[in-house]
Every structure is written in C-alpha cells, then in structure tokens.
Amino acid sequence: MIPILSARTLHKRFGLTHALRGAELDIMAGEIVAIMGPSGSGKSTLLHCLAGVIAPDEGRILLSGSDIGTLGEAARSRLRLTRFGFVFQFGQLLPELTALDNASLPLLLAGKGRREARREAAAWLDRLGIGEQAGKRPAQLSGGQAQRVAIARALAMHPEVLFADEPTGALDSLSAETTMTLMRDQVRAAGTTLVLITHDPRTAAYADREVIIRDGRVSVDSRAVAA
Ligand SMILES: Nc1ncnc2c1ncn2[C@@H]1O[C@H](COP(=O)(O)OP(=O)(O)O)[C@@H](O)[C@H]1O
Ligand SMILES: [Mg+2]
C-alpha cells in the first residue's frame, strides 16, 4: 500500500532556526496519527509542509505517491481546499455568523446551493452533537462546542486528510474528551485520515499511532516500535 502522505528528509529553515532537520514520516490512508513533542520541535512546521501550506527547503512531500512540490501555488491551494481539512487550536469561526452559517460557508464557497449547503452542514453539526446550537453565534458557544463547529465545517467538505493542530489545546479535559471522541468517531466513519498535533497524552490516546518530534526530526514512532 502506498502511504497517503509521505515526508522525505524534510528540511526547513526560518532564518537561523533550523525547524526541520531531515523529518521522515509515512501516513497510511485512514490512520489517526498523533504528533507530539516539545514546543518548538517543529510539529506545526511539519504539518504545514505535509499540507502544502509551506514548501520545505529540501526534501519531498508525496501525496498518494505524487510529489506536491512540483505543483504551482494555484494547484497546491486547490489541493488544500478539495482534499485537506484544517482545525486549529482556536476554532477560527467568523464571530458574526451562526454555527450553521459557519459550517455551511466552505460548501457555499465550493459552489453548493444555499439549501443544500445548509442541509449538509446541519447534518454535520448533528453528527458532532451540536445540532441544537446551530442558531448560536460563536460567542454563545462553549470552547468545546466551537471546536466541534470547526470540525463539522472541515468534515462537511469530505477531506481525505484532516489536519488538526492542538485542537483540544484550549479546552478543559472533559470538553477535550467529548471533542476527541466525536472527532475520532466521525473520521473513522468517513474513512478520513487524521493528523493530530497535541501536547496532551490523553488526546494522543485517541490515535492509532504516536510520533514524537524532537529537534526537527522524528525521534519515536510507535508503529516502528510495534512492528
Ligand atoms: N514563520 C516562522 N518564522 C520564524 N520562525 C519560525 C516560523 N515558524 C516556526 N518557526 C520556528 O521554528 C521552530 C519550530 O516551530 P514550530 O514548527 O512551530 O514548533 P512546534 O509546533 O513544535 O511548537 C521554532 O523555533 C519556531 O520559533
Ligand atoms: Mg505548533
């Protein structure tokens, strides 16, 4: 089986900071992978390279075996919109829109009609256990509810890979558990690959596999250990 995503000897420098120093990683379709490691070790940089948000200085990213480095900026941006989804530490919802309108927005931008976009987004809010909150604005939601709107918004686009950078980083442990349980169940049901950065071992416990990054490279990979 070809990995859905491979990082091959990635290097990335920001001025004098050598953020990635030969990072190597293979991710299989449908896997839930937790990326852990100290602050500043290169986790977010690795995620941004894997997702085609930034280009590595050296090394390659293969998406189902194809080098995304050969794509131009427009093609990479289309890739991010059509095949990838993103969830960040703070949901990045638009404050003036309701939960339902936030979750519908990418579908509308992708050209869906208003009724269909709202119907699909509403179904995703239900799956994430927040159907009742559909009419509320972000300020009226708890942190965990807002993250679940962000997850619904991402999954409504049927991404092949969902990238989540510290999705529970701002949540209390109970909301983190609820959010992770729902996110795991929904990515499993959809067959979506999940690449999850977290500091929290309880969040990482939802993954099939844990990868630890130190000084810009993978220092521990539980799959390699288990194999
Ligand atoms: N855009 C940037 N400009 C300058 N330095 C950066 C930038 N992004 C990351 N870095 C640096 O690269 C290193 C790795 O950062 P990052 O990948 O964000 O680490 P992590 O997510 O593991 O905390 C850090 O030293 C950070 O300060
Ligand atoms: Mg980070």
Side-chain angles (χ1 to χ4, degrees):
M1 265 212 316
I2 301 177
I4 190 163
L5 271 175
S6 294
R8 296 284 160 76
T9 54
L10 296 187
H11 287 264
K12 181 69 185 179
R13 292 177 188 77
F14 297 104
L16 294 175
T17 304
H18 200 161
L20 293 179
R21 305 170 180 245
E24 295 269 346
L25 186 62
D26 281 332
I27 296 169
M28 306 310 289
E31 244 187 336
I32 300 181
V33 180
I35 299 180
M36 304 188 73
S39 181
S41 56
K43 302 181 296 296
S44 294
T45 305
L46 174 61
L47 184 145
H48 293 148
C49 286
L50 286 170
V53 174
I54 59 174
D57 299 328
E58 290 169 49
R60 295 190 305 158
I61 302 293
L62 306 178
L63 175 63
S64 300
S66 303
D67 187 348
I68 68 170
T70 62
L71 301 174
E73 185 45 51
R76 268 197 292 145
S77 143
R78 197 157 54 241
L79 187 85
R80 291 193 299 269
L81 285 172
T82 57
R83 299 180 66 179
F84 296 157
F86 297 89
V87 177
F88 301 98
Q89 182 169 354
F90 300 100
Q92 300 189 324
L93 302 176
L94 296 175
E96 66 278 18
L97 297 186
T98 64
L100 181 59
D101 287 336
N102 267 286
S104 314
L105 193 56
L107 293 165
L108 291 170
L109 294 175
K112 287 247 153 112
R114 189 174 158 77
R115 281 178 67 136
E116 195 185 351
R118 287 172 71 85
R119 189 167 43 75
E120 288 179 21
W124 280 99
L125 293 179
D126 280 340
R127 291 183 192 115
L128 271 302
I130 42 171
E132 313 255 288
Q133 322 300 327
K136 293 188 178 167
R137 289 169 206 266
Q140 301 170 292
L141 300 173
S142 71
Q145 289 170 340
Q147 282 304 68
R148 283 143 66 189
V149 175
I151 294 164
R153 176 179 62 184
L155 289 178
M157 295 292 285
H158 300 287
E160 288 168 59
V161 184
L162 179 62
F163 294 97
D165 195 345
E166 306 273 11
T168 60
L171 304 182
D172 62 77
S173 56
L174 186 60
S175 318
E177 244 176 71
T178 309
T179 301
M180 284 308 304
T181 301
L182 288 158
M183 177 156 71
R184 179 200 53 201
D185 292 351
Q186 292 308 318
V187 299
R188 285 265 191 259
T192 306
T193 306
L194 174 59
V195 182
L196 170 72
I197 293 182
T198 182
H199 271 98
D200 178 3
R202 284 170 300 186
T203 293
Y206 287 85
D208 301 315
R209 179 179 161 206
E210 288 179 26
V211 170
I212 300 177
I213 308 290
R214 274 182 209 287
D215 299 327
R217 53 175 97 80
V218 173
S219 75
V220 177
D221 184 333
S222 67
R223 187 172 65 186
V225 171

